[in-house]
Amino acid sequence: SDPVVSRTSEPPAPAMGSVLVDSSRDLAQALTMALVGGLATRVGVLDGAARKVLSSLSMNITIPCLLFTSILTCPQDGTDNHRDPCDPLTAILATGWPFLVLPVVWVGIGTAVGWVCASLARVPQDVKPIAVAAAAFGNATALPLVLLTSMAQTSGDTEKQHLIMQSRLLSNLSIYLMVYPLLQWSWGRFLL
């Protein structure tokens, strides 16, 4: 049976080599899916309208569902014979407050790096805002999902510990993603 794990104890840290191998495998899966999508577009299976529908479906339905179900499926208390419940949602929110600030820092750094690179590369003035915005707003959804899920799978000794870690990591990503779209709609619009 599973050892009893208290709420304050953390699953043992995974070996760096294990995280690297698992992350590489998961990134290879994501790259394979992207290549299949690119190939499907090239041969005419997916047109612009189909890509837009798939993108909208992913961003507006499947990714939010994944984030919320990862929180909901993690046991929130010690009932129902859960030996190692997740932290209460209030505790996750209380400790996750830095993830409300990180998008501002991340986008600020991306904007600065984008502006410096566009200036050094002598990007034409009419294209420069697009280059800066592309650097400021990198992939903050799909790639982190892959990496965080991979990291969760290498933590702890039991499936339950994997689920708890995945819930913690994806909860923090959910907090981050509450602010990030606001920056896209405000600062991103200003840049463009």
Side-chain angles (χ1 to χ4, degrees), residues 99-144:
F99 290 91
L100 292 172
V101 178
L102 284 174
V104 176
V105 172
W106 179 252
V107 169
I109 292 170
T111 300
V113 168
W115 186 83
V116 167
C117 290
S119 297
L120 290 174
R122 296 185 178 142
V123 174
Q125 287 299 338
D126 59 330
V127 180
K128 191 172 185 176
I130 297 168
V132 172
F137 297 100
N139 186 340
T141 307
L143 193 55

Side-chain angles (χ1 to χ4, degrees), residues 12-23:
M16 191 59 163
S18 173
V19 171
L20 184 61
V21 168
D22 288 344
S23 295

Side-chain angles (χ1 to χ4, degrees), residues 51-62:
R51 286 195 319 265
K52 187 170 183 170
V53 168
L54 289 173
S55 175
S56 181
L57 180 69
S58 172
M59 290 301 295
N60 297 320
I61 297 174
T62 60

Side-chain angles (χ1 to χ4, degrees), residues 57-73 145 170 174:
L57 180 69
S58 172
M59 290 301 295
N60 297 320
I61 297 174
T62 60
I63 289 175
C65 285
L66 172 66
L67 294 174
F68 287 116
T69 58
S70 72
I71 295 169
L72 295 176
T73 58
L145 279 173
L170 294 182
S174 298

